[in-house]
Amino acid sequence: MQLQAANVQGKNMILRTLAQYSALMVMKKIFQRKNRAAFAKGILAMYALQNYIGEEKVNLALKKFIRDWNNSNGKLKSKTPNYPTTKELLTYFIEFTPVSLHHKVYPLFERNSIVMLSLEVNECNLLILDSS
């Protein structure tokens, strides 16, 4: 079944919100509560990161991370039996982040924190509550 919204302001809100809600409900069934919270935090952290440094730089960092750590022929993975951790992933994000923004990146991924996102036109505001 497909839904088409009226071609007026707010059209995308209907379509995107319903699609995102559907995806969230699928994730709810797949993951237990703790994992779902981590999933939601990850989405918000990645959105904030691309807002801070740009989608292109996030994609470059991810491309390099996958190139180095993929299981079949990763440059770093082929040299170790270990698997990457969040710490390794963060080094790639930091590499593509201006030094002036490092202080914004670390709290997104390192702390056991709650991330709340507020979107304004061309602006992303985060409230990070340390829950440790």
Side-chain angles (χ1 to χ4, degrees):
M1 185 176 350
Q2 213 170 15
L3 174 75
Q4 188 169 354
N7 192 17
V8 296
Q9 186 175 1
K11 170 184 175 180
N12 289 332
M13 185 276 183
I14 290 173
L15 300 177
R16 289 179 184 161
T17 299
L18 294 179
Q20 290 167 351
Y21 179 75
S22 297
L24 179 63
M25 292 301 102
V26 169
M27 295 307 296
K28 178 180 177 181
K29 290 182 181 193
I30 293 173
F31 295 105
Q32 295 176 1
R33 182 183 173 124
K34 183 177 180 182
N35 289 337
R36 189 174 65 244
F39 171 79
K41 179 187 175 194
I43 288 172
L44 294 175
M46 291 300 293
Y47 185 84
L49 180 64
Q50 69 83 35
N51 194 281
Y52 290 142
I53 68 172
E55 184 178 352
E56 183 179 340
K57 287 184 179 181
V58 171
N59 290 342
L60 288 170
L62 292 172
K63 183 178 179 179
K64 187 173 179 184
F65 175 76
I66 292 167
R67 182 199 66 207
D68 289 351
W69 285 100
N70 77 76
N71 288 337
S72 60
N73 63 352
K75 289 182 177 184
L76 296 176
K77 179 61 183 135
S78 63
K79 297 176 184 177
T80 179
N82 299 333
Y83 294 93
T85 65
T86 306
K87 191 173 186 175
E88 280 83 27
L89 179 58
L90 251 182
T91 63
Y92 290 83
F93 291 152
I94 291 299
E95 179 182 341
F96 289 90
T97 300
V99 173
S100 63
L101 294 175
H102 284 190
H103 72 283
K104 290 186 177 266
V105 175
Y106 285 111
L108 292 174
F109 298 96
E110 285 191 332
R111 286 195 213 144
N112 184 18
S113 56
I114 299 167
V115 179
M116 296 166 63
L117 182 65
S118 169
L119 299 175
E120 306 282 332
V121 176
N122 296 325
E123 190 175 322
C124 174
N125 299 305
L126 289 172
L127 174 61
I128 301 172
L129 306 172
D130 195 351
S131 62
S132 47

